[in-house]
Amino acid sequence: MTTKSFETLALGKQSNRLELPDTAIAMLDEQGAVVGWTQAAEHLVGHAAADVVGRSAALVMPLFSERQSTSDFVKHCRAQNGWSGTTAVRHRDGRVIEACLRITMLRGLAGAVRWLVSLVDTGTLSGDAMSSLVSGPLLGRAPIGVAVRDPQLRCVFVNDVMEEHDGIPCDRRLGRRLTEVLPGPRTEALEEMTRQVLQSGTTKVHEYRTWLPVSMGRGHPLAASFHCLQGADGESLGVCLVSADLAESRLTRERLAVVGEAGTRLGGTLDVMQTSQELADLAVPLLADFVAVDLDHSAPSGDGSQDRVGSVGARRPTLRRAGLASIHVGVPESPWVRGKPVTVPSASPFSAVLSTGKSHLEPILDCAPGIWMDEIPAVGEALRTHGVHSLMVVPIRARSAVLGVVLFVRTEDPTPFQESDLLLAEELVGRAVRALNNARQYAREQTAALTLQRNLLPRRLRGGAAVEAASRYLPADMDHGVGGDWFDVIPLSGARVALVVGDVVGHGLHAAATMGTLRATVRTLADMELPPAELLSRLDNTIQRLVEEEDCEPADGAAAVVGATCIYAVYDPASRVCTMARAGHPPPAIIDPQGRVTFPDLPPGAPLGLGLGLGDPFESVELELPEGSLIALYTDGLVESRDHDIQDGMNNLGAALAEPDRALEDLCDRATNSFLEEASCDDVTLLLVRTCSLGTRSASWTLPGDDHAASNARQLVTGQLHAWGLDDLADSTKLIVSELVTNAVRHGTGTVTLCLKRHTVLTCEVSDTNVGVPQLRSAGITDENGRGMFLIAHLSRRWGSRPAPGGKVVWAEQDLPGDCGAPSRELRAA
């Protein structure tokens, strides 16, 4: 598309030249048929007047084919609150062109109606031209005057805006020449220009001034373009004059500049409240003296669903004041401060806007007593006290949902709000909606991520009588707060506890979801009382299955899980033995009560899920630890970075933990402070535990596997329970021990080990050489056997068995009477 330069006529104060992009003009009747065509339209779509005049506009504008009439199409466009002003235009050669569209209704004699369509190819516009021509409803609905004259230069169609430009009423203009209505040299020059365009069939543009009859003292600058309309035979049917108020155009350009500024100023943050405040600050004092932004109460967090347009009904909506700005210090016009709930009067414009989704303009505000504002006295008092005389309420809409409203008020500025002000307000709010949607989406994702994190990681570490525990979790993805690391402290039977730290490859939600699967798997395997090495083998098989399921590229484009590392340990406070195994994970740090730091040489094992393990890939190591020792399990993100290698990191970790008498929380902070001071590309997890010992609260005996074993066991437990002050449990414990020892002698060989542990519960354990797992059976009336485990299940809170070297351990737990159970620190002091 080209731009054409025309010398302007000598009509009042003029510019030397005016350059405007070629605009394709067509005139349609009420049925959508083309009745007038221009050369510029032919240049745009390739169709001559003979091809289109008399045919439906759908030939070049496919959208028309969906509507019965031109007015129906215009109503459809107006109903789209956010109609972009662009449409697809079909070229004669089949190409589809995106063009700026504007449709103006024209009135003629005897109620005749025509529609003027103007199109500009957006593909050939520069950035500046595009921003000045395509700016949504603000520019698309700016006032443009249109008049169509026949070959005799008589006005046959005109729109209402033309009267604002030259002061000539529609009924005086129609059917007459311009010189007949407003004689004078200026109108004669305009008629001459019209005649030249009619004869040449070209388009001309010029700038001129006119003096409205009501105010002859000051010129009114206008820019006009003349377009020759052609019929089916190519002959000139008349001339279409399109005029724009230059003063209004300058104001529009200024407002478009504001809208452009809004695009850069709004959305710089992903905080809903901050974006709302930016909108208020931008509109004051540019557009209003006071602005308040009220959002649905769930908008800041992204939770919940907003009311759909028209769904408010009798229910009073809940809003929260998110943005405030005023020309007065302290914003005295607002009864509510930012962040506080806002009460919406039921009969107010706010309720109407929330229910309909349509803006409300009240140029002259009626503040008389008894109207809606007095429903909330503070509102009425504020409006009257500060002289509010004009207001606008604009909905904050996202698709079909209403997120809130924006109130624009004038107090000191005496000029009432007008339609053009409302257009600007709607455009500003529209820009803010995009930023608010991004902020709400971020808030939703962050809330979901944090919820996922809380559900996947333990909220409270329960070390029971075995350990005191503390932890730190610092994801590399600090925005969402989730990653692939996990940790856990899992209570086991016999006062023992399992300690686990793992690291899934990757970061973010995908790694977190996989981590959740593995953590749940570890807990399930831990309940099976598996030794650490066997548990890692089972976990390795689980991850390999996950990898096989994700051999294909995931639909969402996320990277498939390819592996994980893990360290798993079981600590027994009765023996003070910690059994550990690791799978490609950094070794633990052990700090004894004197502050000496060691990193045990555990067999490294292969990372999980890579299929690198052959035979028995994982090995367990037993370590006897002094009471009060520290065990630190961690991920490599804590000890490895771009600035130092893993050995330096391990040395730094050991130095930070070398004061074992400090509180665990303080030690965790010391160990992770260096991570907080520098950016990390990996998640950081630290699980720190201090070991306890049952000491005298544990008793163990080795019994010969003969017929006297059960009797001896009953005597031993009776004496031990008396020493512990647990005589109330003697009868039930003797029955449990008798059945367990009898089963061990009957089904095993060699000696039997009996152990009593007093911790949070009373645990009875019997070890034998039989690997068979006891089963709970329902014995018949005549059966002599099969009732032992049923009796144990009835007398205990829970029971079970676990594998042990050379056999198994069968255990049963009973609740302690009253507060007999001693917490960890008491156990250490016993």
Side-chain angles (χ1 to χ4, degrees), residues 292-314:
V293 182
D294 296 334
L295 296 178
D296 181 274
H297 70 284
S298 63
S301 65
D303 294 336
S305 58
Q306 280 65 42
D307 292 314
R308 292 191 173 274
V309 174
S311 66
V312 174

Side-chain angles (χ1 to χ4, degrees), residues 45-67:
V45 299
H47 287 285
D51 301 329
V52 294
V53 174
R55 301 179 64 181
S56 170
L59 176 68
V60 294
M61 287 185 289
L63 277 179
F64 263 88
S65 62
E66 303 174 6
R67 303 294 159 181

Side-chain angles (χ1 to χ4, degrees), residues 514-533:
T514 304
M515 172 268 285
T517 300
L518 299 186
R519 177 173 179 251
T521 302
V522 169
R523 277 193 159 260
T524 300
L525 296 175
D527 286 343
M528 297 171 63
E529 305 273 9
L530 298 176

Side-chain angles (χ1 to χ4, degrees), residues 601-614:
D601 186 18
L602 299 183
L608 302 169
L610 300 184
L612 300 179
L614 298 175

Side-chain angles (χ1 to χ4, degrees), residues 4 58 81 121 144 150 163 246 260 292 303 367 372 424 485 526 545 566 630 632 739 746 757-758 799:
K4 296 183 178 180
N81 191 31
D121 185 358
I144 297 293
D150 63 12
E163 181 178 349
L246 291 182
D303 294 336
C367 292
W372 60 268
L424 176 59
D485 288 6
R545 287 196 298 271
C566 183
L630 294 181
E739 291 295 336
R746 179 177 300 168
K757 298 177 181 178
R758 179 189 174 188
W799 69 276

Side-chain angles (χ1 to χ4, degrees), residues 474-478 636-646 648-649 652 671-684:
L474 304 172
D477 184 2
M478 296 299 291
D636 56 4
L638 181 62
V639 296
E640 189 175 22
S641 71
R642 299 185 182 94
D643 300 330
H644 53 73
D645 61 24
I646 190 170
D648 292 336
N652 293 336
T672 56
N673 278 342
S674 59
F675 170 79
L676 296 174
E677 296 171 359
E678 60 185 42
S680 175
C681 59
D682 201 0
D683 304 325
V684 169

